[in-house]
Amino acid sequence: MSFVITANTLGIQVEQKFIPLTDYLSNQSHPIYVYDLEQILNRCQSYSNAMGEYSELRYAIKANSNPMILKSIFQKQWGADVVSGGELERALQCGCKPERVVFSGVGKSTSEIRFAVGSQIGQINVESLPELLRVAQVTKEMNKTISVALRLNPNVKADTHPYITTGTTKNKFGLDLDQIPQALEILKKNPQVTLIGLACHIGSQMLDLEPVLQSVKKLHEVFEQLNREAWNLTTLDIGGGIGIDYHQEDLGQDELRLAHFGSGIGQLLSNFKGKILVEPGRFIVARAGVLLTQVEYVKETPHRTFVILNSGMNHLMRPALYQSFHRVHPVITHPERGQMVCDIVGPICESSDVLRTDCLLPKIKSGEWLAIMDAGAYGFSMANNYNLCGLPKEWIFTKNGLVNLN
């Protein structure tokens, strides 16, 4: 367990030592993301164990792009899943080998494709016919070759929020299955672009894994059909998307879900002879991060009680963007005060700047700190400077103690 409460104090367990977070907050007044690096690396190991030797892991940088975290993950021989030129640059700067990079995303610019081709990355996941034509044109102009996979849209609906569903015909991602013949014709005319595989990713934060397995089954069927047509594909990119239960910290259930995924993929692809790529993000980093934020005011009205923080949707976009849930804990709990039902809100001038509604919380006062739990994924990476409030700080706990990155 990473972040724990002992004697009403939230802290972090490093090796055998409990470190109260209050030890570091006396001179602080700015929101802080705090990460547990060892938990992240343990999650990486769990994922590697679950997927077995038949898979290669590519960390989805969009979940958390902190350079220290990336360097540590890449030292474990993981690769990177990137969705922009900026993420590609960050991956290479942090030690990821180019051949272990997968470049996805629907809107790759000409300059981004040039960067990818020039860097000779492992593969570009092509998501549309116009993109495939652009990749072909860039390789001609640069007199270079590149390997690509066709990201297919299997029209499988993930049981998740509509904003993070990516595998149905209503979504902008991937090629429809009936566009495959057109893509193959383009490839035949452009031998400098080598088709090495297929890819799919149907969504994020998935707790029911059956749709994922269904999409992989469809992908594998197309893969085998193309190889019967002598395309000699070698790579099956099955994406990521395994979720966590944000309502509780059940690490055992997380591991069971991962084991179910690994065994399911192993059974589906038991006779597969190529390379399987898997691209986890949230599962690796979400539990290992908290957002520490200070209470500015406790505002009581005849109708509601608002706990107003110095951090909100500008630093943690998920609740405003797709109504996500995060557990909230005081850094120090005062049980003698009793409890309160409140709305936990941020300082931003938007009515959507709400982190929790009707939250049962131990009574808290102005100046005290709250921790927004499970915030290691899609937290700082989505943070912005709206209202010119500034970005939060980032701290990382390692075996050797705290690293203050600010």
Side-chain angles (χ1 to χ4, degrees):
M1 186 175 292
S2 175
F3 295 95
V4 295
I5 298 176
T6 301
N8 299 321
T9 300
L10 180 67
I12 188 168
Q13 196 76 31
V14 179
E15 297 289 306
Q16 302 300 315
K17 184 179 180 182
F18 174 78
I19 303 175
L21 292 179
T22 51
D23 290 355
Y24 301 91
L25 294 177
S26 59
N27 296 319
Q28 300 297 323
S29 60
H30 202 72
I32 308 163
Y33 273 100
V34 182
Y35 309 117
D36 177 359
L37 183 60
E38 289 308 303
Q39 188 184 38
I40 290 171
L41 297 181
N42 289 340
R43 287 282 210 176
C44 287
Q45 188 60 56
S46 293
Y47 219 106
S48 296
N49 294 343
M51 300 312 300
E53 296 180 358
Y54 55 84
S55 299
E56 293 189 14
L57 287 305
R58 305 287 186 260
Y59 170 68
I61 288 184
K62 60 182 175 288
N64 188 316
S65 56
N66 180 278
M68 186 173 179
I69 291 174
L70 294 184
K71 290 176 183 178
S72 299
I73 291 176
F74 297 148
Q75 285 172 1
K76 297 295 183 181
Q77 308 307 309
W78 279 45
D81 167 44
V82 305
V83 294
S84 72
E87 287 190 354
L88 172 55
E89 183 177 16
R90 176 69 60 86
L92 298 177
Q93 288 174 342
C94 292
C96 185
K97 295 181 179 180
E99 63 269 22
R100 291 179 178 162
V101 176
V102 172
F103 193 169
S104 301
V106 300
K108 304 178 191 74
S109 67
T110 298
S111 62
E112 288 176 322
I113 294 172
R114 283 182 172 275
F115 184 26
V117 172
S119 300
Q120 286 296 282
I121 67 169
Q123 73 184 48
I124 295 176
N125 285 353
V126 173
E127 306 216 17
S128 68
L129 298 176
E131 181 190 335
L132 182 55
L133 289 168
R134 180 176 288 183
V135 170
Q137 183 61 37
V138 167
T139 53
K140 282 182 181 178
E141 293 172 356
M142 297 179 68
N143 193 27
K144 289 184 178 295
T145 61
I146 192 68
S147 296
V148 302
L150 300 180
R151 176 173 175 176
L152 303 182
N153 187 324
N155 196 26
V156 174
K157 187 179 186 301
D159 184 18
T160 188
H161 192 278
Y163 289 2
I164 48 179
T165 296
T166 61
T168 73
T169 54
K170 294 182 179 180
N171 300 127
K172 64 182 180 180
F173 298 94
L175 287 155
D176 287 341
L177 298 181
D178 60 8
Q179 293 180 305
I180 294 175
Q182 295 169 270
L184 297 179
E185 285 302 312
I186 294 172
L187 288 160
K188 289 175 182 177
K189 296 174 183 177
N190 294 277
Q192 76 281 8
V193 181
T194 303
L195 179 64
I196 63 170
L198 302 178
C200 73
H201 174 71
I202 66 168
S204 181
Q205 181 47 19
M206 291 179 290
L207 301 181
D208 178 5
L209 300 180
E210 291 311 311
V212 188
L213 299 177
Q214 181 184 347
S215 70
V216 172
K217 184 175 185 293
K218 280 191 174 185
L219 191 71
H220 187 219
E221 290 170 353
V222 178
F223 184 98
E224 294 298 325
Q225 177 60 40
L226 292 180
N227 274 351
R228 285 192 290 271
E229 298 172 8
W231 279 93
N232 299 318
L233 306 185
T234 58
T235 300
L236 202 64
D237 182 342
I238 63 174
I242 297 180
I244 65 168
D245 185 351
Y246 282 91
H247 288 79
Q248 57 184 334
E249 187 179 38
D250 190 337
L251 303 184
Q253 187 60 43
D254 289 351
E255 295 294 330
L256 287 174
R257 187 174 294 112
L258 177 58
H260 172 61
F261 178 64
S263 63
I265 295 299
Q267 292 172 16
L268 275 177
L269 304 178
S270 58
N271 297 318
F272 185 72
K273 303 301 182 184
K275 181 166 61 175
I276 303 170
L277 302 184
V278 192
E279 298 158 356
R282 180 194 315 273
F283 191 89
I284 302 299
V285 293
R287 297 284 196 202
V290 300
L291 174 59
L292 300 182
T293 171
Q294 199 167 26
V295 177
E296 295 291 355
Y297 303 100
V298 177
K299 176 181 176 180
E300 297 182 3
T301 78
H303 311 286
R304 307 191 73 80
T305 297
F306 298 95
V307 173
I308 304 174
L309 308 177
N310 65 351
S311 180
M313 63 184 290
N314 55 327
H315 295 162
L316 184 61
M317 178 68 74
R318 297 186 69 251
L321 184 61
Y322 31 72
Q323 299 78 55
S324 63
F325 178 93
H326 283 268
R327 294 175 295 121
V328 179
H329 288 301
V331 173
I332 297 181
T333 302
H334 298 276
E336 72 279 2
R337 295 180 186 170
Q339 295 181 313
M340 63 193 297
V341 176
C342 59
D343 289 356
I344 301 174
V345 302
I348 301 303
C349 289
E350 300 286 347
S351 294
S352 58
D353 186 21
V354 179
L355 297 177
R356 284 278 302 276
T357 58
D358 297 318
C359 180
L360 180 62
L361 194 70
K363 286 188 177 179
I364 195 164
K365 296 181 179 179
S366 174
E368 296 177 342
W369 290 79
L370 289 178
I372 315 300
M373 309 300 291
D374 302 326
Y378 304 101
F380 190 91
S381 64
M382 295 176 72
N384 59 74
N385 198 29
Y386 186 43
N387 288 179
L388 298 182
C389 289
L391 294 173
K393 297 181 179 182
E394 287 184 293
W395 292 354
I396 295 182
F397 275 95
T398 70
K399 286 183 178 180
N400 299 319
L402 175 69
V403 178
N404 187 335
L405 301 178
N406 305 98

